Amino acid sequence: MAFVHGSKVARAASRVASRSIYTKTVDNYESVLDRFARDRLTAVLRTPTAEAAPKAMAAAIDGGFKIAEFTLTTPGCLDAVADFRGKYDGDVMVGCGTIMCTEDAEAACDAGAEFIITPVLLPEVVTWCAQRNIVCVPGCQTPTELYTAYTLGAPLQKVFPGVAGAVTWVKAVSAALPMLRLNPTSGVDLDNAGEYLSNGAASVGLVAPLFPPDAIANEDWDAIHANATKVVGNAAKAGPFVRKPTGFQLAKL
């Protein structure tokens, strides 16, 4: 019996230690949300090779992007996260996407990721992040999923995949559920990003329209730079997102 009790104590101590290792300060958490509100555009990168990733993302950053997301489906993703944190720390915010479990989230944080993105709603990952003041943006498609993500502690909610109605849908949902902070990705392109931002989206992510597969295959970094310059200029017309209290509670430190 004593052994069982001791095992429970050891497991509890391990959980506490794990939480303390990854827990961010409230100021850090708020600064990440401030960056999303200010810059509003995220460069979301998937490449078939590790060699292409840093070159493609550097082209987007040179074109004006200030938020970079490397996805775990890219070979060498975590190395890229670590390298870009070291190179651009304080200027460009770097996060990690396609997080599928808490172990992925830990690995991303170990590499230096400043925020976590999931492609679908994974309650265990959202809760893990919320308990540690780590900004998590989970993928959701329906208003129910979006609101569930919010109640679990996700301060931003990724609209993915694209939905019928596009901008009109985002505008309607954000008006009906004003506590949400929507982050559409699929369906957002170089021309309509600003329209999304002016009609209910708190921020948006750019994937293939920013990083066309043919441009990556041909190593046409100038094309990616031109895409970035265009969409950053279009989105700037919407201005920054004004953050307001939503009732979301930060983890207690």
Side-chain angles (χ1 to χ4, degrees):
M1 198 67 167
F3 174 76
V4 173
H5 175 72
S7 296
K8 288 181 178 179
V9 170
R11 288 196 296 271
S14 177
R15 287 195 296 271
V16 170
S18 174
R19 180 178 298 187
S20 65
I21 290 172
Y22 295 103
T23 297
K24 306 296 184 181
T25 66
V26 172
D27 285 346
N28 178 274
Y29 178 92
E30 291 293 334
S31 71
V32 171
L33 293 179
D34 284 342
R35 291 294 299 274
F36 272 109
R38 185 189 76 189
D39 298 315
R40 305 190 76 180
L41 296 177
T42 301
V44 183
L45 180 64
R46 301 186 188 95
T47 62
T49 67
E51 293 75 22
K55 298 173 183 177
M57 188 62 82
I61 291 171
D62 289 345
F65 271 80
K66 294 294 185 179
I67 306 176
E69 175 193 336
F70 292 94
T71 62
L72 280 180
T73 48
T74 295
C77 166
L78 297 179
D79 289 335
V81 169
D83 290 344
F84 274 65
R85 272 303 307 274
K87 183 176 182 179
Y88 294 100
D89 193 31
D91 182 36
V92 176
M93 187 165 68
V94 181
C96 192
T98 321
I99 299 296
M100 300 302 298
C101 59
T102 57
E103 290 78 11
D104 285 348
E106 289 180 354
C109 290
D110 286 339
E114 296 174 90
F115 58 89
I116 296 296
I117 310 287
T118 68
V120 294
L121 178 56
L122 300 169
E124 65 276 16
V125 175
V126 177
T127 300
W128 185 90
C129 289
Q131 290 173 342
R132 293 161 177 78
N133 294 334
I134 297 168
V135 170
C136 178
V137 189
C140 310
Q141 190 174 34
T142 67
T144 299
E145 285 190 339
L146 291 163
Y147 185 73
T148 299
Y150 163 76
T151 61
L152 288 170
L156 296 168
Q157 305 84 34
K158 174 180 175 177
V159 182
F160 179 83
V163 293
V167 174
T168 302
W169 188 93
V170 168
K171 182 177 182 179
V173 172
S174 64
L177 298 169
M179 74 291 296
L180 301 182
R181 300 292 178 260
L182 304 183
N183 176 274
T185 52
S186 179
V188 180
D189 60 35
L190 307 182
D191 297 310
N192 67 16
E195 189 177 1
Y196 273 98
L197 296 175
S198 297
N199 287 279
S203 56
V204 297
L206 277 295
V207 195
L210 174 62
F211 299 109
D214 59 337
I216 291 175
N218 295 324
E219 299 187 353
D220 189 354
W221 314 128
D222 287 341
I224 293 173
H225 181 278
N227 290 344
T229 301
K230 179 178 179 179
V231 71
V232 168
N234 287 342
K237 301 170 186 175
F241 178 75
V242 179
R243 293 184 60 200
K244 297 178 182 177
T246 65
F248 174 71
Q249 297 296 312
L250 289 170
K252 299 296 184 182
L253 295 178

